[in-house]
């Protein structure tokens, strides 16, 4: 891929060209994507973090995280990071956050904060998977898509994802506690943001008006002989929580699944969908350039609508009891979604998402 005997500027130019080609293919094929208005990137959980406990939290300046990932307090501006050139994992995340907010500010949009909970953890899972397997796409090698990964790390909402990585389908390890080239981080953000319509899925995701937080996933592939490989990146943008969902992680077949919560917008209904993840190859992940939300296997509506079981709604709070019996709710993994109004995604859209395993 890259010859170490070449000059450093030549190597950097070649790495940039390689990543541009990969992102260009993604943007071109993704321009017609529907619900995931972002650019795809492949992923499969290789090292799945144990995940955040409960709902995700936003911790823009967590001392524990900064200390663990080696964040220097002296790095405050974009130029500070550029001058340092090689960054710790934590510094690379914060450099990309500054670049994202620079780009949002250029379009008069407010800054987003760094989400160090479910969004970052699912982004790391995604980036590590791509780095270890050499592919790009929203689909993970286990058959997962961004919202599924986010939910299994404790997130209860919808994410919009950007990602970048190599696409040669070569297996590599992932460098633990890596040093990240600052140029690689800036190159990735610039290529996301400098896309031109109609092939501008990454740019539109960065400029999502509803976004208030972003989880930044990073992984550095182990280079092969005579290789210099750019870092793989994942940006998981999260909007405000419009539905607080209370769903158990597990429920026993033959009992009632009790779903509760509170909606901060117009409540439309609750959907339940069986999730059967089918593993795919890196080659297949490279071909899948978009994804759509699952169609609920069964929808439940409030009292007054035609529905098998009515959702009880009172003062914005809702409750639903679903008997887990029959083939429709056989043991397995299920996705619970809430539906309501969304200013960005149309009158009726997914406002919340959680996973439950029926035992």
């Amino acid at each position: 891929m890259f010859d170490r005997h070449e000059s450093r500027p030549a190597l950097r130019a070649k790495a940039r060209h390689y990543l541009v080609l990969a992102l260009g293919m993604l943007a071109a094929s993704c321009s017609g994507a529907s619900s995931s208005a972002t650019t795809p990137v492949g992923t499969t959980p290789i090292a799945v973090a144990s995940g955040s406990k409960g709902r995700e939290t936003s911790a823009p300046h967590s001392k524990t995280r900064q200390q663990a990932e080696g964040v220097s307090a002296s790095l405050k501006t974009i130029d500070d990071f550029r001058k340092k050139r090689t960054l710790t994992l934590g510094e690379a995340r914060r450099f990309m956050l500054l670049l994202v907010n620079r780009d949002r500010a250029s379009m008069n949009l407010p800054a987003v904060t760094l989400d160090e909970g479910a969004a970052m953890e699912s982004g790391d899972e995604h980036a590590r998977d791509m780095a270890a397997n050499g592919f790009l796409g929203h689909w993970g090698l286990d058959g997962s898509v961004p919202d599924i990964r986010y939910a299994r790390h404790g997130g209860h909402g919808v994410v919009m994802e950007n990602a970048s990585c190599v696409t040669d389908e070569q297996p590599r390890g992932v460098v633990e506690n890596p040093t990240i080239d600052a140029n690689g981080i800036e190159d990735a953000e610039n290529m996301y943001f400098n896309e031109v319509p109609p092939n501008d899925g990454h740019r539109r995701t960065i400029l999502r008006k509803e976004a208030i937080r972003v989880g930044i996933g990073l992984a550095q592939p182990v280079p092969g002989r005579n290789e210099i490989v750019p870092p793989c990146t994942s940006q998981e943008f999260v909007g405000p929580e419009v539905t607080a969902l209370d769903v158990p992680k597990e429920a026993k077949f033959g009992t009632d699944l009790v779903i509760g919560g509170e909606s901060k917008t117009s409540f439309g209904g609750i959907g339940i969908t069986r999730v059967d993840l089918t593993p795919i190859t890196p080659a297949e992940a490279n071909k899948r350039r978009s994804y759509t939300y699952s169609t609920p296997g069964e929808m439940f509506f409030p009292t007054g609508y035609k529905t098998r079981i009515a959702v009880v709604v009172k003062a914005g709070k809702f409750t639903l009891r679903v008997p887990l019996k029959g083939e429709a709710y056989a043991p397995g993994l299920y996705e619970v979604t809430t539906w309501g109004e969304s200013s960005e995604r149309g009158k009726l859209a997914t406002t919340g998402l959680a996973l439950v395993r029926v035992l």
Side-chain angles (χ1 to χ4, degrees), residues 27 33 41 72 90 96 114 123 131 139 158 227 232 275 284 300 313 349:
V41 184
S72 171
M96 179 163 273
L114 188 63
W139 293 80
V158 178
E227 274 191 336
C232 296
V275 178
E284 177 61 27
F300 302 90
V313 182

Side-chain angles (χ1 to χ4, degrees), residues 154-171:
H156 279 186
V158 178
V159 293
M160 301 288 281
E161 180 179 88
N162 282 342
S164 65
C165 197
V166 295
T167 59
D168 59 4
E169 298 166 16
Q170 295 301 308

Side-chain angles (χ1 to χ4, degrees), residues 260-337:
E262 183 174 4
S263 179
K264 299 176 184 178
T265 184
S266 176
F267 179 82
I270 294 174
I272 301 180
T273 311
R274 185 178 176 89
V275 178
D276 292 311
L277 300 181
T278 303
I280 60 176
T281 65
E284 177 61 27
N286 269 330
K287 294 176 183 177
R288 296 188 182 187
R289 297 312 188 195
S290 64
Y291 73 97
T292 57
Y293 293 113
S294 302
T295 300
E298 187 169 17
M299 280 293 299
F300 302 90
F301 300 101
T303 303
Y305 292 85
K306 186 177 180 180
T307 182
R308 185 170 72 88
I309 303 173
V311 183
V312 178
V313 182
K314 186 175 182 180
K317 295 183 178 180
F318 56 85
T319 306
L320 173 68
R321 300 181 71 95
V322 180
L324 298 175
K325 60 183 182 180
E327 186 178 345
Y329 293 104
L333 185 65
Y334 290 82
E335 177 184 274
V336 176
T337 51

Side-chain angles (χ1 to χ4, degrees), residues 335-352:
E335 177 184 274
V336 176
T337 51
T338 54
W339 295 74
E341 289 186 357
S342 170
S343 60
E344 272 194 332
R345 289 174 283 124
K347 287 189 176 180
L348 190 62
T350 306
T351 58

